[in-house]
């Protein structure tokens, strides 16, 4: 058993070490001889050289440790690219004393399947001789050179035909043969002294330098020269051999042999090793980084990769291709700049956003503050508390006001007065409104505004300017009214509209309308109201010359349980009730006085106060009453008023005005009475007119009542007025 086992193991090793694998050498092949490395496809024993081709067989003389190719060439080294470098001795022949050559100079070497490289030179050293190198085989070829000299040539190192000649080997030779023919060229024996022998040899280009004094005498057996032999695999080109070539598997590639037949292998760029092998000695990646074959310079670090390397820089740096060094990335700055810019911009955006929001909030807070300051809260409370008939007072926004007045454009100003500025505004629904804006920095104005809102919210009368709404979000409150386009009564009587003459009928109707309105305010509105600033400048006229009482800024709501109020005296000089002025006690009779002045103004066409009139008559009341006393009423009544048949009415109206302007309030009639009296004048007048046109008195009355009823549709005043008319008649009758 034991013997049997040993036998099996022996057989195994034999197989493993003797059979070539895939055309590859055995693993136990000799790798060197002396100092020469034996490289595949060459080998010293069978299974070690390529395809059992004897051309690749080398012999190692173990005694002197020389590697031999054939019998004549000692191998120096083997190049993978197809060169076998060998030592080759010098051929020579010497002369005897008779002048004959002692030795046979012809030599012949077999190069097996190798050939002589073109990178060799064939050289002759000697005087008066020639040498021929010839090859026989597939074609016959010969080359040679001739040297002649009578004396020792100068030692200039040149092999130029004087004592030495050389020639290139242009055709690959597969066997070499040299010969010399001194006969015929060697006639003088005088050269024997310095040139006893002639020498011929092959040498790798550039390895021989001729020294005349040395070499002509002493080249024999002194030197061997390196000779290059070309070798290749097979007799096919790379294309012909295709994938059957022994290269090309492990990072090696095939190339056509320079000698014209067969191919050779080489490692790919960045690889090194034996390209004819497929084992661990085949082409391997060169680690340029550890072998210092890289050109990366500090501070870049070399990184190896298959077939090459690359230089790496730390992040933030880039490689400069000319110096292979690292430089700070330029685009880093661009990136930083860009990043900073973006960051900055977004910060700005954020800030502006926040600012905008804060501004918005501040604006809202401000609006709220103004709203409160302007009594908005109180107003809303009171508006809802009053249970008003006209509670649809709209609260406008600041924004809406701004747009409707075109940003409080100067061109939109309708008028400017003590109470503030009035703008023409156009609401989004294209309706035209008048917007009154209090003067800035006058808190009493704001109070008056609120007051006006409160008062007007209580009133719904066709002869009172309609308050549409207000805006309290602004620093000063804004009031929005219906737009009355034909100016004030004052303008019509004394000012810009005076060209439009108001007839007696107009004036009487206007007086009736004002009186009715005041009567309504005093007695019929849900809470009695005293206007306190009745004057022609506060009576607006629309296109039909219908009176609209405006400006309730000074007006007072009088609680039901109080007859009169003590207030700061307020009003306009000329219209101001002297009793109120003296006592500060406000009651409805103050409005009656003011109305009396207005009525006088209507009758006389004179201003309430006129300093052009004589001293006693500066005040209109005095002016009229003195004229009355002196029985020259004709002089003071506006001639536009006086017509045929109306003197009695005018006189009556003057009487009413006189009653109204009595110094003592108690003696003045109530506004309802005044309204009824004037209405009576108007009705009588109408009756008179209609009686001219229509015979039936009843019809006129009915029509008159009908007209009044029309007023009653908008408020209850009209109807009340009628009743008062009736009672006034009774009173008058007494
Ligand atoms: C080996 O070299 C020695 C010394 O040069 C020589 O005597 C011997 O014959 C050589 N052997 C062969 C096999 O050539
Ligand atoms: C072979 O030897 C020559 C001369 O000694 C030398 O220049 C060359 O580099 C060597 N080649 C290899 C592949 O060792
Ligand atoms: C040349 O190579 C062929 C095969 O490629 C081989 O048969 C022949 O023996 C070789 N000749 C010499 C002289 O080695
Ligand atoms: C031999 O070498 C010289 C100089 O090195 C060069 O000029 C010449 O071309 C070479 N000859 C051949 C055949 O390579
Ligand atoms: C080469 O020369 C020899 C005689 O020197 C001759 O026998 C042979 O046929 C020649 N070869 C060719 C290819 O001409
Ligand atoms: C030639 O050889 C001689 C003798 O060895 C020597 O003295 C001389 O320097 C050599 N000249 C050149 C150019 O090498
Ligand atoms: C290549 O060599 C083989 C023998 O190894 C031979 O049969 C063939 O004819 C040769 N081909 C050429 C083109 O020389
Ligand atoms: C070589 O190439 C031929 C076709 O070009 C293919 O049929 C064959 O299998 C290949 N052989 C190998 C070993 O890749
Ligand atoms: C070349 O070698 C690398 C490793 O050095 C290996 O990854 C790659 O596959 C090889 N290429 C071939 C064609 O064998
Ligand atoms: C090898 O030589 C052949 C013929 O001369 C040519 O067609 C082919 O392209 C060459 N191949 C290479 C890799 O040089
Ligand atoms: C390539 O080389 C590796 C060793 O570097 C070897 O193991 C492998 O078999 C080779 N590949 C081929 C296809 O020969
Ligand atoms: C560095 O080496 C690479 C490859 O070895 C080469 O392509 C490049 O030109 C070299 N650069 C410098 C600056 O030497």
């Amino acid at each position: 058993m034991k013997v049997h086992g040993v036998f099996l193991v022996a057989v195994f090793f034999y197989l493993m070490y003797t059979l070539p694998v895939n055309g590859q050498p055995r693993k136990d092949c000799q790798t060197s001889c002396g100092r020469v490395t034996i490289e595949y496809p060459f080998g010293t024993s069978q299974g070690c050289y390529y395809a059992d081709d004897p051309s690749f067989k080398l012999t190692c003389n173990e005694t002197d440790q020389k590697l031999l190719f054939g019998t004549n060439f000692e191998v120096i080294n083997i190049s993978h690219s197809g060169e076998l470098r060998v030592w080759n001795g010098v051929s020579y022949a010497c002369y005897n004393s008779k002048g004959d050559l002692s030795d046979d100079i012809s030599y012949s070497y077999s190069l097996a399947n190798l050939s002589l490289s073109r990178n060799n030179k064939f050289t002759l050293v000697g005087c008066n001789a020639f040498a021929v190198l010839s090859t026989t085989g597939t074609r016959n070829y010969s080359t040679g050179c001739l040297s002649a000299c009578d004396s020792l040539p100068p030692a200039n190192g040149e092999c130029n035909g004087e004592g030495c000649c050389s020639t290139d080997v242009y055709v690959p030779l597969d066997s070499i043969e040299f010969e010399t023919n001194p006969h015929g060229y060697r006639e003088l024996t005088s050269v024997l002294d310095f040139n006893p022998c002639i020498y011929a040899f092959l040498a790798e280009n550039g390895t021989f330098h001729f020294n005349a004094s040395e070499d002509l005498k002493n080249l024999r057996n002194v030197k061997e020269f390196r000779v290059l032999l070309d070798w290749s695999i097979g007799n096919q080109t790379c294309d012909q051999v295709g994938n059957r070539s022994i290269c090309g598997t492990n990072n090696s590639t095939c190339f056509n042999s320079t000698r014209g037949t067969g191919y050779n292998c080489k490692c790919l760029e960045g690889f090194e090793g034996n390209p004819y092998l497929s084992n661990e000695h085949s082409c391997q990646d060169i680690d340029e980084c550890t072998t210092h074959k890289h050109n990366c310079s500090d501070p870049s670090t070399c990184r190896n990769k298959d077939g090459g390397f690359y230089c790496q820089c730390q992040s933030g740096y880039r490689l400069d291709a000319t110096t292979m060094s690292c430089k700070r990335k330029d685009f880093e700055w661009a990136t930083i700049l860009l990043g900073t810019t973006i960051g900055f911009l977004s910060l700005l955006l954020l800030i502006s956003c926040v600012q905008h929001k804060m501004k918005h909030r501040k604006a809202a807070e401000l609006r709220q503050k103004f709203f409160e300051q302007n009594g908005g809260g109180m107003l809303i409370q009171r508006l809802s508390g009053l249970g008003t008939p006209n509670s649809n007072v709209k609260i406008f926004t600041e924004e809406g006001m701004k747009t409707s007045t075109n940003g409080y454009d100067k061109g939109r100003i309708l008028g400017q007065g003590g109470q503030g500025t009035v703008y023409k505004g156009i609401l989004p629904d294209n309706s035209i409104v008048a917007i009154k804006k209090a003067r800035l920095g006058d808190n009493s104005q704001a109070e008056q505004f609120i007051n006006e809102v409160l008062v007007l919210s209580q009133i719904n009368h066709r002869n009172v300017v309609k308050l549409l709404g207000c805006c309290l979000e602004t620093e000063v409150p804004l009031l929005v009214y219906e737009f009355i386009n034909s100016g004030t009564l004052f303008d019509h009587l004394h000012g810009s509209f005076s060209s439009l003459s108001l007839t007696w009928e107009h004036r009487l109707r206007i007086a009736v309308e004002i009186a009715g309105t005041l009567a309504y305010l005093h007695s019929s509105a849900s809470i009695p109201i005293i206007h306190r600033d009745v004057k022609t400048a506060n009576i607006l006229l629309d296109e039909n010359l219908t009176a609209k009482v405006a400006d309730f800024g000074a007006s007072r709501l009088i609680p039901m349980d109080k007859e009169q109020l003590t207030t700061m005296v307020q009003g306009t000089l000329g219209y101001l009730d002297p009793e109120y002025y003296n006592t500060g006690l406000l009651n409805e009779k103050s409005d009656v006085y003011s109305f009396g002045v207005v009525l006088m103004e209507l009758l006389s066409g004179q201003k309430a106060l006129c300093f052009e009139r004589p001293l006693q008559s500066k005040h209109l009341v005095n002016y009229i009453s003195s004229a009355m006393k002196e029985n020259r009423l004709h002089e003071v009544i506006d001639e536009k008023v006086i017509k045929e048949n109306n003197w009695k009415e005018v006189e009556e109206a003057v009487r009413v005005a006189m009653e109204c302007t009595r110094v003592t309030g108690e003696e003045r009639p109530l506004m309802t009475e005044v309204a009824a009296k004037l209405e009576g004048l108007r009705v009588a007048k109408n009756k008179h007119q209609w009686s001219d046109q229509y015979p039936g008195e009843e019809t006129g009355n009915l029509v008159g009542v009908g007209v009044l009823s029309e007023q009653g549709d908008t408020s209850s005043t009209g109807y009340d007025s009628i009743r008062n008319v009736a009672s006034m008649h009774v009173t008058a009758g007494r």
Side-chain angles (χ1 to χ4, degrees):
M1 285 290 281
K2 209 175 175 185
V3 174
H4 187 65
V6 171
F7 175 73
L8 282 175
V9 170
V11 169
F12 175 74
F13 273 108
Y14 174 80
L15 288 172
M16 194 177 157
Y17 282 99
T18 54
L19 295 180
V21 183
N22 281 345
Q24 291 287 306
R26 297 200 319 254
K27 289 192 175 176
D28 62 341
C29 289
Q30 191 177 355
T31 54
S32 63
C33 178
R35 280 185 288 171
V36 183
T37 314
I38 304 169
E39 299 264 15
Y40 190 77
F42 291 91
T44 50
S45 53
Q46 203 174 23
C48 290
Y49 48 88
Y50 173 68
D52 282 339
D53 183 346
S55 347
F56 297 111
K57 187 181 185 317
L58 302 175
T59 317
C60 186
N61 188 333
E62 299 296 339
T63 316
D64 56 8
Q65 289 288 299
K66 281 180 178 171
L67 186 66
L68 295 177
F69 171 68
T71 46
N72 302 308
F73 303 109
E74 184 194 340
V75 175
I76 301 169
N77 59 25
I78 302 164
S79 152
H80 296 137
S81 56
E83 284 170 335
L84 184 70
R85 189 173 274 109
V86 294
W87 286 119
N88 187 26
V90 176
S91 304
Y92 64 93
C94 295
Y95 297 94
N96 54 27
S97 49
K98 290 184 223 163
D100 295 325
L101 280 172
S102 58
D103 303 303
D104 184 5
I105 192 123
S106 281
Y107 288 99
S108 180
Y109 308 121
S110 170
L111 295 178
N113 280 336
L114 274 60
S115 55
L116 199 59
S117 168
R118 288 185 186 190
N119 201 25
N120 293 308
K121 281 192 179 250
F122 177 60
T123 306
L124 165 74
V125 172
C127 278
N128 302 328
F130 74 91
V132 175
L133 173 69
S134 57
T135 177
T136 52
T138 49
R139 50 182 171 155
N140 289 338
Y141 163 79
S142 294
T143 188
C145 68
L146 177 70
S147 161
C149 41
D150 291 337
S151 54
L152 186 68
N156 56 10
E158 288 175 22
C159 185
N160 55 7
E162 196 182 6
C164 172
C165 71
S166 70
T167 184
D168 290 333
V169 182
Y170 286 107
V171 175
L173 300 169
D174 34 27
S175 70
I176 46 176
E177 191 182 331
F178 359 115
E179 59 181 305
T180 59
N181 186 2
H183 303 291
Y185 292 98
R186 185 98 187 169
E187 283 163 14
L188 295 168
T189 52
S190 56
V191 296
L192 286 174
D193 298 339
F194 60 87
N195 178 220
C197 304
I198 55 170
Y199 315 93
F201 54 92
L202 279 165
E204 191 178 341
N205 185 15
T207 59
F208 172 68
H209 302 283
F210 177 57
N211 183 336
S213 57
E214 171 86 10
D215 295 335
L216 281 172
K217 210 175 213 172
N218 204 17
L219 207 59
R220 178 175 56 162
N221 290 335
V222 176
K223 284 182 184 170
E224 284 183 310
F225 292 99
R226 300 208 296 262
V227 173
L228 279 176
L229 304 178
D230 285 341
W231 59 268
S232 59
I233 310 283
N235 58 3
Q236 290 176 303
T237 64
C238 289
D239 297 336
Q240 289 166 335
V241 77
N243 59 9
R244 283 173 287 112
S245 79
I246 62 166
C247 44
T249 47
N250 258 8
N251 290 314
S252 77
T253 182
C254 173
F255 70 95
N256 286 345
S257 170
T258 50
R259 62 192 278 229
T261 177
Y263 66 90
N264 292 99
C265 301
K266 64 177 176 188
C267 285
L268 293 174
E269 183 86 19
F271 290 83
E272 64 182 358
N274 188 336
Y276 303 93
L277 290 175
S278 299
N279 59 21
E280 67 274 15
H281 299 296
S282 66
C283 297
Q284 302 293 316
D285 176 48
I286 304 169
D287 190 348
E288 293 89 350
C289 298
T290 52
T291 55
H292 298 287
K293 285 176 183 162
H294 65 91
N295 56 9
C296 304
S297 47
D298 275 346
S300 75
T301 40
C302 177
R303 293 271 180 270
N304 186 47
K305 66 175 183 187
D306 279 348
F309 66 95
Y310 60 95
C311 307
Q312 198 181 40
C313 293
Q314 65 190 78
S315 76
Y317 289 81
R318 66 168 178 83
L319 191 71
D320 180 65
T322 51
T323 62
M324 282 297 170
S325 182
C326 294
K327 278 189 173 167
R328 198 172 259 288
K329 282 179 188 169
D330 290 338
F331 68 85
E332 198 76 357
W333 289 108
T335 313
I336 288 169
L337 200 72
L338 195 75
T340 316
T341 312
I342 288 173
F344 187 70
L345 283 180
S346 24
L347 195 72
L348 270 185
L349 199 76
L350 192 80
I351 287 172
S352 71
C353 232
V354 167
Q355 254 181 357
H356 186 77
K357 224 171 181 175
M358 266 167 65
K359 206 170 139 190
H360 208 74
R361 223 174 73 182
K362 224 169 165 181
E365 275 173 6
L366 204 66
R367 279 203 299 270
Q368 186 59 32
K369 194 190 120 191
F370 286 144
F371 186 79
E372 289 302 331
Q373 187 179 303
N374 292 336
M378 183 190 73
L379 178 74
I380 285 171
Q381 211 173 13
R382 285 177 70 177
L383 277 178
S384 57
L386 285 167
T388 64
N390 190 18
S391 54
N392 53 350
V393 171
K394 245 178 102 179
I395 306 284
F396 288 94
T397 61
E398 184 190 7
E399 200 71 16
M401 291 292 90
K402 218 169 199 171
T403 48
S404 64
T405 57
N406 197 15
Y408 305 110
D409 185 17
K410 274 185 183 165
R412 292 286 189 87
I413 292 177
L414 293 171
Q416 250 165 330
Q419 281 239 326
T421 312
V422 182
Y423 294 89
K424 181 175 176 177
I426 299 166
L427 294 185
D429 63 355
N430 280 332
S431 57
I432 299 175
V433 294
I435 295 168
K436 191 157 81 174
K437 187 185 183 191
R439 266 179 315 182
L440 207 70
D442 192 343
N443 276 340
S444 69
Q445 296 288 336
E447 252 166 62
Q448 289 192 5
F449 265 63
I450 295 298
N451 190 48
E452 186 157 358
V453 174
L454 284 173
V455 168
L456 284 176
S457 70
Q458 299 303 301
I459 305 166
N460 185 9
H461 192 279
R462 69 184 289 252
N463 293 117
V464 171
V465 171
K466 193 174 270 172
L467 179 76
L468 301 175
C470 60
C471 173
L472 302 168
E473 290 172 353
T474 44
E475 197 172 355
V476 289
L478 301 169
L479 297 186
V480 182
Y481 302 94
E482 64 173 319
F483 180 69
I484 309 295
N485 56 356
S486 293
T488 64
L489 182 56
F490 183 89
D491 293 334
H492 278 269
L493 289 173
H494 319 292
S496 46
F497 286 88
S498 58
S499 56
L500 277 170
S501 53
L502 290 171
T503 63
W504 168 240
E505 282 76 24
H506 288 141
R507 295 183 196 211
L508 187 57
R509 179 169 53 74
I510 289 165
V512 167
E513 282 166 354
I514 299 166
T517 306
L518 291 175
Y520 162 76
L521 293 175
H522 291 172
S523 57
S524 306
S526 47
I527 297 172
I529 297 162
I530 298 173
H531 188 285
R532 271 220 296 190
D533 200 10
V534 177
K535 56 180 176 182
T536 48
N538 280 345
I539 313 291
L540 299 175
L541 295 179
D542 70 5
E543 67 272 15
N544 300 323
L545 299 177
T546 304
K548 300 271 185 181
V549 178
D551 215 339
F552 287 78
S555 307
R556 275 288 172 271
L557 291 170
I558 301 182
M560 292 292 195
D561 52 345
K562 285 190 183 162
E563 288 274 287
Q564 51 187 23
L565 285 173
T566 313
T567 67
M568 278 260 299
V569 174
Q570 226 174 338
T572 307
L573 228 57
Y575 298 91
L576 193 60
D577 171 14
E579 192 183 58
Y580 166 54
Y581 180 77
N582 289 331
T583 61
L585 286 174
L586 177 70
N587 61 30
E588 61 202 33
K589 293 294 175 65
S590 303
D591 276 354
V592 175
Y593 182 89
S594 303
F595 174 76
V597 178
V598 169
L599 186 54
M600 284 177 178
E601 228 177 310
L602 275 168
L603 289 163
S604 66
Q606 297 277 329
K607 287 183 185 174
L609 267 183
C610 180
F611 296 97
E612 283 154 24
R613 291 195 291 261
L615 186 69
Q616 296 298 315
S617 312
K618 267 186 191 129
H619 196 266
L620 187 58
V621 176
N622 294 340
Y623 179 62
I624 299 279
S625 59
S626 61
M628 188 97 165
K629 270 179 212 153
E630 290 158 24
N631 212 7
R632 49 178 182 84
L633 203 56
H634 276 284
E635 291 173 27
V636 297
I637 299 301
D638 194 344
E639 63 235 22
K640 288 173 196 155
V641 165
I642 301 166
K643 282 169 49 178
E644 236 184 303
N645 296 332
N646 73 345
W647 185 247
K648 278 191 82 154
E649 291 158 27
V650 171
E651 265 191 325
E652 187 59 32
V654 171
R655 208 163 293 129
V656 171
M658 295 296 292
E659 279 175 28
C660 288
T661 53
R662 278 179 185 148
V663 177
T664 318
E666 265 179 51
E667 289 175 12
R668 295 174 205 153
L670 288 171
M671 212 60 228
T672 46
E673 292 167 351
V674 174
K677 244 180 212 172
L678 293 174
E679 183 62 42
L681 279 178
R682 210 176 147 225
V683 169
K685 180 181 162 58
N686 283 345
K687 204 194 289 174
H688 178 77
Q689 274 181 354
W690 285 318
S691 60
D692 288 348
Q693 291 163 5
Y694 309 102
E697 197 176 289
E698 301 286 338
T699 327
N701 246 340
L702 275 174
V703 173
V705 170
V707 169
L708 293 170
S709 301
E710 199 181 282
Q711 273 190 342
D713 283 347
T714 49
S715 74
S716 56
T717 327
Y719 194 69
D720 288 345
S721 305
I722 297 164
R723 274 204 318 227
N724 288 328
V725 170
S727 65
M728 273 308 289
H729 274 301
V730 174
T731 319
R734 256 191 263 167

